[in-house]
Amino acid sequence: DEPFIAYLQAGTGTYTTAARFRELVDNICGQPGVTGLFIGTRPDCVDGEMLDVLRPWLYRKLVWLELGLQSANDATLDRIGRGHNVESFSKARALASDRGIPVLAHVILGLPGEGPEEMMGTASYLARQRVEGVKIHHLQVIKGTRMEELFQAGMVVPLTMDSYPGLVAGFLERLP
């Protein structure tokens, strides 16, 4: 069997009971060829009991927790209807750190109402959080979503190919 890393996200990877999550994790990690497990989830859907499920696997598999922060600006998170705040990310990060679980943060550059200052503020926040990794996404406007409505109303202006690379470089420069 070829080795592979399983990725549990479909919606939110921890949006279940701890008992069901344990069943899923044990089943996935027990499959032949699975060398690791990455769990993508929202920071408000993580608690100590859920993370304790991962502890037995930490030294047998490559285990990472991917948390969807998107922005370190509560006004932005509220504006886009994320349903969580920055403090929930800080709490989830601390819970994972206490258990030795590495955290990879997801961020989106170009969110409505954010300019370079807010985006670089997210980078600085993540540097202070000392996350182990960051996935930087550009804003995607998908047909049929609230974001498309904002785009059609002129309230969302996607980043250009000229501006995006410089923003990503500035973001990365702020990370350790």
Side-chain angles (χ1 to χ4, degrees):
D1 289 323
E2 289 293 317
F4 66 96
I5 296 171
Y7 191 75
L8 182 60
Q9 182 176 8
T12 295
T14 57
Y15 196 65
T16 187
T17 65
R20 176 69 178 132
F21 186 60
R22 180 177 311 283
E23 189 178 299
L24 287 170
V25 168
D26 290 350
N27 186 356
I28 291 167
C29 289
Q31 296 299 311
V34 173
T35 59
L37 176 64
F38 287 23
I39 299 102
T41 191
R42 296 168 48 100
D44 57 326
C45 292
V46 173
D47 61 26
E49 184 180 14
M50 196 70 68
L51 294 180
D52 286 340
V53 168
L54 302 175
R55 290 178 96 166
W57 295 104
L58 285 176
Y59 298 103
R60 299 188 290 173
K61 307 286 181 182
L62 177 64
V63 176
W64 279 72
L65 180 65
E66 297 192 15
L67 295 175
L69 173 64
Q70 314 320 348
S71 172
N73 185 314
D74 280 334
T76 299
L77 296 175
D78 187 54
R79 186 179 308 112
I80 65 171
R82 268 306 282 176
H84 68 79
N85 59 19
V86 177
E87 181 59 25
S88 64
F89 182 93
S90 297
K91 287 179 181 175
R93 167 65 179 134
L95 288 169
S97 182
D98 289 348
R99 288 159 175 81
I101 302 168
V103 169
L104 186 145
H106 287 232
V107 298
I108 299 174
L109 300 184
L111 289 168
E114 288 205 348
E117 185 175 317
E118 290 82 9
M119 290 180 247
M120 297 311 116
T122 295
S124 296
Y125 166 78
L126 289 173
R128 290 188 306 276
Q129 289 290 308
R130 308 223 26 101
V131 295
E132 288 77 14
V134 179
K135 280 188 182 176
I136 303 171
H137 303 274
H138 62 83
L139 177 65
Q140 294 183 21
V141 177
I142 298 171
K143 193 173 195 100
T145 65
R146 172 78 175 122
M147 200 63 69
E148 183 197 20
E149 293 173 19
L150 295 173
F151 173 75
Q152 296 295 346
M155 299 172 67
V156 171
V157 180
L159 298 173
T160 66
M161 286 299 291
D162 290 334
S163 64
Y164 186 70
L167 289 168
V168 170
F171 197 99
L172 292 173
E173 287 173 350
R174 286 163 175 77
L175 298 175

